[in-house]
Amino acid sequence: MKEGFYVERVVRIIAGSFVLISLLLAHFHSQNWLWFTGFVGLNLFQSGFTQFCPMFSILEKLGVPRFPKECCSKR
């Protein structure tokens, strides 16, 4: 079964990309990029408790579906 892209999955991909990119920038450019890594980690941490993530809202407004299509079509 091939799953499509939906908000939660895209948020994880973006967060992981931000962390990896900021680590590369910290290594090759400036240690100050580690602050961005910390910001992403803190945002993931707080969203686990509050269920609020700004990227989630942005992606929904851009039209990324909230749930996989298989989820809603079986009802």
Side-chain angles (χ1 to χ4, degrees), residues 22-69:
S22 64
L23 287 174
L24 287 171
L25 286 167
H27 180 74
F28 291 110
H29 188 286
S30 169
Q31 294 286 318
N32 287 327
W33 282 102
L34 293 175
W35 288 104
F36 185 68
T37 307
F39 171 75
V40 172
L42 185 63
N43 193 9
L44 288 168
F45 183 76
Q46 72 81 24
S47 71
F49 289 104
T50 65
Q51 296 294 314
F52 173 73
C53 177
M55 184 59 72
F56 195 96
S57 302
I58 292 168
L59 290 171
E60 278 190 320
K61 288 179 183 176
L62 290 174
V64 178
R66 188 175 181 131
F67 298 106
K69 291 180 182 178

